[in-house]
Amino acid sequence: MKNKILIIDDSKDILFAISEFFLMKDWEVYTAPAMDEALKIVSTKKLDIIIIDYHMPYINGIMGVKLIRQIDETVPIIALTIEGMENIAEEFFLAGADDFAIKPIKVLDLYSRVKVHMSKQNTLLSKKENIKNEEFREYQKGINNNTISLIEEKMKKLKEYVTIETISEITGLSTQTINKYMNYLIKIGMIDLKIVYGKVGRPRNEYLWLKK
């Protein structure tokens, strides 16, 4: 799968230079000369990195970063600034940017920064996946296939969402056991959970076996 990059700059020359370099690296490249176009791309594509210039028509880069962060909180963002504008770089960081590069752009230096942030992002995603897998293994402890088969047999006959108490009654299992299995079955996509809010008291959970 190709890496995806979005380059936001009102300079056609810069858009061309950077995009051509990344196309040569076999990346999927998106470009935008203004923030309205950029935000449409951010909203519809899962990007791996964004490069954004400060001087943009109507909405500058700093505000642009803030708007991007409302859509995607994690995509790495590298801001482009002019030499001697350290205060602008600081504002970029406060807005949510991860790094900045100084114009005139040295594409190899920019590519080096991109690779660093891609590596960081991949490491972070890998850690999150490991944590998720550990949590899943914890759910699997003490899970019995015969008990799942019993729950499946009884719940498949039901055409509406039911409470843990109802499932306990039709299976003969304790509510504590049912609660444990419901959590596990939701995790693996076999059960759908609906939270019902009454006029008084705490909301109650109801469950439905997903027909397959």
Side-chain angles (χ1 to χ4, degrees):
M1 186 180 296
K2 292 185 179 182
N3 292 321
K4 297 181 178 64
I5 184 171
L6 169 61
I7 308 154
I8 309 168
D9 201 306
D10 63 343
S11 168
K12 291 182 180 179
D13 292 338
I14 290 176
L15 286 180
F16 177 78
I18 299 176
S19 62
E20 282 298 302
F21 178 86
F22 281 93
L23 286 170
M24 287 173 54
K25 295 291 183 181
D26 200 31
W27 281 50
E28 193 169 323
V29 178
Y30 300 91
T31 61
M35 280 311 304
D36 55 345
E37 294 180 40
L39 293 173
K40 289 178 184 177
I41 296 169
V42 175
S43 299
T44 56
K45 306 292 180 183
K46 183 57 181 175
L47 302 164
D48 294 294
I49 199 153
I50 295 173
I51 296 172
I52 184 170
D53 186 34
Y54 171 68
H55 290 290
M56 301 286 294
Y58 309 113
I59 300 174
N60 67 32
I62 292 169
M63 181 56 68
V65 170
K66 291 179 181 178
L67 293 171
I68 290 169
R69 283 291 177 237
Q70 291 178 15
I71 302 169
D72 191 326
E73 297 179 351
T74 60
V75 61
I77 300 175
I78 300 176
L80 304 181
T81 64
I82 298 173
E83 189 173 1
M85 299 182 68
E86 289 81 3
N87 61 315
I88 297 297
E90 182 64 25
E91 287 186 52
F92 264 121
F93 284 129
L94 292 173
D98 298 278
D99 198 356
F100 72 95
I102 295 174
K103 287 185 172 183
I105 299 299
K106 296 178 181 178
V107 180
L108 287 176
D109 176 60
L110 184 62
Y111 182 61
S112 176
R113 291 171 185 268
V114 166
K115 296 295 285 182
V116 167
H117 287 286
M118 289 286 294
S119 177
K120 286 182 180 179
Q121 189 73 350
N122 289 336
T123 300
L124 180 62
L125 291 174
S126 178
K127 286 181 178 178
K128 287 182 177 179
E129 187 62 27
N130 288 337
I131 291 171
K132 184 178 178 181
N133 289 337
E134 284 298 322
E135 290 176 344
F136 185 68
R137 280 192 286 271
E138 282 298 315
Y139 269 103
Q140 285 183 306
K141 288 181 180 179
I143 296 296
N144 183 284
N145 285 333
N146 291 332
T147 303
I148 291 177
S149 296
L150 173 61
I151 293 171
E152 178 181 5
E153 178 192 350
K154 299 299 183 180
M155 289 192 68
K156 270 189 170 181
K157 297 175 181 178
L158 305 175
K159 297 181 180 180
E160 58 187 13
Y161 288 82
V162 291
T163 64
I164 280 180
E165 289 73 21
T166 299
I167 302 168
S168 174
E169 183 179 338
I170 64 175
T171 60
L173 301 170
S174 70
T175 55
Q176 184 178 3
T177 297
I178 293 298
N179 184 61
K180 175 183 178 180
Y181 276 83
M182 289 300 104
N183 289 334
Y184 173 75
L185 292 167
I186 289 168
K187 281 273 185 180
I188 64 174
M190 301 299 287
I191 290 286
D192 186 44
L193 168 65
K194 179 173 72 172
I195 301 175
V196 179
Y197 296 89
K199 293 182 179 179
V200 294
R202 295 173 59 186
R204 69 178 185 274
N205 293 342
E206 295 188 354
Y207 306 88
L208 178 70
W209 189 273
L210 296 173
K211 302 294 190 295
K212 289 189 178 181

